[in-house]
């Protein structure tokens, strides 16, 4: 009798790095390198992983890059016995989860086990409160490492490497609209960001920061719990695919009403999924509800205003340039950020 044993072909992060860096430098070419990466806000969210080691998503997603908001990171080789991380001018203790996460990412590029790095990173966005700080953070670190080692990697490879740090980081390498194509390969070599060719200079985004305290649960944990326990998650991949098609169509036609409606509905569905998880995850604070009601009321009065929301209580307003002054009048605390160069 013949017995077929299925060999499970498992690809880990180190295999991906090996594949992308074949014939590339394994020792730093210079002692220090600096890079900036902008942050991005998804209008069709990435939620749920089909492979959590490689951050491979269940669905394709679409984001808008915030040109001047992001992370500036310097990576230097140091003669110490461990890494050193400085976040916004303050030393991060080695026991902090942030330190662990960054250091684990650096392990992927520690070809000589005795090499250690100093990472000095500063962010022009609040850290860990749902304004996509990890996206620009891991993208900037990837770009800085690319310079440090003089790899000269193409964008696709950089996007895949950034994704290994944080999924949404793979969309933080371009301006404007960026689609993260889900891909289907087990090694994730077809899952990376791609800029859309459409520009929409009239489209504006306003950051409505309602709370800067770190969020109560990381998006990583919230994502895992939602996938495991939320019934609504079952419909998510199909819904996200449908929303993505509608969004791309609305961008092509510059149909702001359709764009705003689909973006807002996509974010609301994300939060419904989380609230339906067990135990329920609720990122909203009282101010979030107040602002949502205000947006709804203004819209009923004729203002073309929509919002999107990530894994945190803060909102991002979506509107057109012509309404910028009106938005500033109703939301004096809003920070309007540049989207298109
Ligand atoms: O990349 P992560 O693990 O921080 O997850 C990002 C999740 C959302 O911001 C909520 C959605 C998205 O597509 O950016």
């Amino acid at each position: 009798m013949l017995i077929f044993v299925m060999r499970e072909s498992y690809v880990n992060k180190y295999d991906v790095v090996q594949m992308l860096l074949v014939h590339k430098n394994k020792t730093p070419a210079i002692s220090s390198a600096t890079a900036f990466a902008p942050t991005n806000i998804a209008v069709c969210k990435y939620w749920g992983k089909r492979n959590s080691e490689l951050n491979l998503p269940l669905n394709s997603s679409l984001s808008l890059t915030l040109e001047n908001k992001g992370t500036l990171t310097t990576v230097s080789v140091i003669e110490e016995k461990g890494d050193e991380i400085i976040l916004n001018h303050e030393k991060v203790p080695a026991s902090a989860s942030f330190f662990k996460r960054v250091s684990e990412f650096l392990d992927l590029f520690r070809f000589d086990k005795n090499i250690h790095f100093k990472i000095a990173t500063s962010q022009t966005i609040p850290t860990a409160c749902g304004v996509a700080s990890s996206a620009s953070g891991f993208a900037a670190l990837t770009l800085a490492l690319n310079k440090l080692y003089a790899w000269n990697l193409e964008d696709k490879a950089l996007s895949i490497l950034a994704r290994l740090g944080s999924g949404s980081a793979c969309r933080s390498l371009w301006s404007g609209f960026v689609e993260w194509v889900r891909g289907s390969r087990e090694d994730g070599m077809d899952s990376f960001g791609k800029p859309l060719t459409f520009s929409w200079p009239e489209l504006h985004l306003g950051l409505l920061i309602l709370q800067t305290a770190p969020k109560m649960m990381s998006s990583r944990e919230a994502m895992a719990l939602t996938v495991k326990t939320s019934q609504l998650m079952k419909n998510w991949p199909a819904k996200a695919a449908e929303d993505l098609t509608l969004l791309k169509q609305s961008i092509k036609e510059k149909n702001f009403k359709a764009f705003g409606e689909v973006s807002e509905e996509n974010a609301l569905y994300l939060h419904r999924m989380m609230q339906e998880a067990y135990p329920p995850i609720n990122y909203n604070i009282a101010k979030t509800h107040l602002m949502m009601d205000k947006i709804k009321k203004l819209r009923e009065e004729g203002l073309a205003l929509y919002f999107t929301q990530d894994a945190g209580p803060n909102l991002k307003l979506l509107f057109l340039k012509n309404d910028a002054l009106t938005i500033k009048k109703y939301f004096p605390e809003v920070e309007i950020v540049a989207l298109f160069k």
Side-chain angles (χ1 to χ4, degrees):
M1 191 177 72
L2 270 175
I3 301 172
F4 292 97
V5 180
M6 289 280 284
R7 202 184 131 256
E8 215 177 293
S9 54
Y10 173 73
V11 182
N12 68 27
K13 287 186 191 191
Y14 289 88
D15 300 328
V16 172
V17 170
Q18 283 267 321
M19 285 187 258
L20 292 173
L21 298 182
V22 69
H23 305 314
K24 297 281 181 188
N25 287 342
K26 301 292 182 305
T27 45
I30 43 177
S31 58
S32 179
T34 300
F36 174 83
T39 195
N40 72 77
I41 300 296
V43 283
C44 179
K45 309 294 182 189
Y46 143 57
W47 202 252
K49 305 178 194 203
R50 64 176 198 281
N51 176 326
S52 49
E53 155 107 17
L54 305 182
N55 288 337
L56 293 177
L58 286 171
N59 63 288
S60 296
S61 54
L62 181 71
S63 64
L64 272 165
T65 296
L66 310 192
E67 273 305 313
N68 312 318
K69 293 265 164 209
T71 305
L72 184 72
T73 293
T74 299
V75 51
S76 320
V77 180
I78 50 168
E79 304 281 324
E80 305 289 329
K81 289 210 162 59
D83 296 329
E84 192 186 330
I85 301 176
I86 315 284
L87 173 63
N88 296 328
H89 312 290
E90 276 181 38
K91 195 171 167 165
V92 180
S95 55
S97 60
F98 177 77
F99 187 103
K100 213 170 151 247
R101 208 168 155 201
V102 174
S103 199
E104 272 175 21
F105 184 70
L106 290 170
D107 286 347
L108 296 171
F109 311 103
R110 219 185 295 276
F111 308 104
D112 165 357
K113 293 294 158 229
N114 296 317
I115 194 171
H116 290 103
F117 303 99
K118 176 180 173 182
I119 307 296
T121 190
S122 52
Q123 303 192 308
T124 51
I125 32 165
T127 305
C129 64
V131 196
S133 54
S134 67
S136 62
F138 282 102
L141 185 51
T142 305
L143 293 174
L145 287 164
N146 183 45
K147 281 190 191 169
L148 187 87
Y149 281 97
W151 289 325
N152 295 315
L153 291 172
E154 53 168 24
D155 287 350
K156 174 183 154 180
L158 290 169
S159 177
I160 293 173
L161 290 180
R163 190 195 74 224
L164 299 179
S166 170
S168 54
C170 80
R171 297 184 309 235
S172 262
L173 302 172
W174 299 271
S175 304
F177 292 107
V178 180
E179 179 178 354
W180 172 8
V181 183
R182 175 195 187 277
S184 54
R185 284 175 62 134
E186 192 201 357
D187 61 9
M189 288 301 176
D190 56 354
S191 185
F192 49 86
K194 280 181 191 169
L196 296 193
T197 49
F198 301 100
S199 164
W200 195 350
E202 298 81 19
L203 185 64
H204 276 48
L205 185 142
L207 288 178
L208 206 53
I209 307 291
L210 307 172
Q211 192 182 63
T212 53
K215 52 193 171 195
M216 43 88 174
M217 189 188 266
S218 71
S219 46
R220 183 175 283 210
E221 287 168 85
M223 220 180 262
L225 187 66
T226 320
V227 172
K228 216 167 141 197
T229 62
S230 177
Q231 289 301 312
L232 284 176
M233 192 71 209
K234 293 196 173 62
N235 299 329
W236 170 247
K239 182 189 164 41
E242 203 176 296
D243 284 356
L244 184 61
T245 306
L246 293 171
L247 282 168
K248 280 162 79 174
Q249 188 62 27
S250 70
I251 293 165
K252 213 164 137 188
E253 294 166 357
K254 293 202 174 158
N255 178 345
F256 181 67
K257 187 171 183 284
F259 178 81
E261 279 175 5
V262 179
S263 303
E264 190 172 297
E265 175 48 39
N266 188 275
L268 286 171
Y269 192 93
L270 166 73
H271 285 267
R272 278 204 294 279
M273 287 195 289
M274 291 196 265
Q275 284 151 12
E276 208 234 345
Y278 190 80
I281 309 159
N282 195 346
Y283 282 110
N284 294 341
I285 56 173
K287 272 192 194 165
T288 316
H289 292 292
L290 278 175
M291 290 300 152
M292 283 178 178
D293 290 347
K294 187 166 169 179
I295 292 163
K296 193 165 166 244
K297 189 166 167 281
L298 287 168
R299 197 158 61 220
E300 280 161 8
E301 288 167 8
L303 186 64
L305 171 65
Y306 299 87
F307 68 84
T308 183
Q309 180 187 10
D310 293 284
N314 302 310
L315 299 179
K316 290 97 191 183
L317 305 181
L318 297 166
F319 52 94
L320 292 175
K321 193 179 176 187
N322 283 347
D323 289 321
L325 285 177
T326 315
I327 300 297
K328 199 78 196 153
K329 190 179 93 190
Y330 285 113
F331 303 91
E333 66 279 49
V334 77
E335 187 183 352
I336 300 178
V337 291
L339 293 175
F340 292 88
K341 273 185 190 153

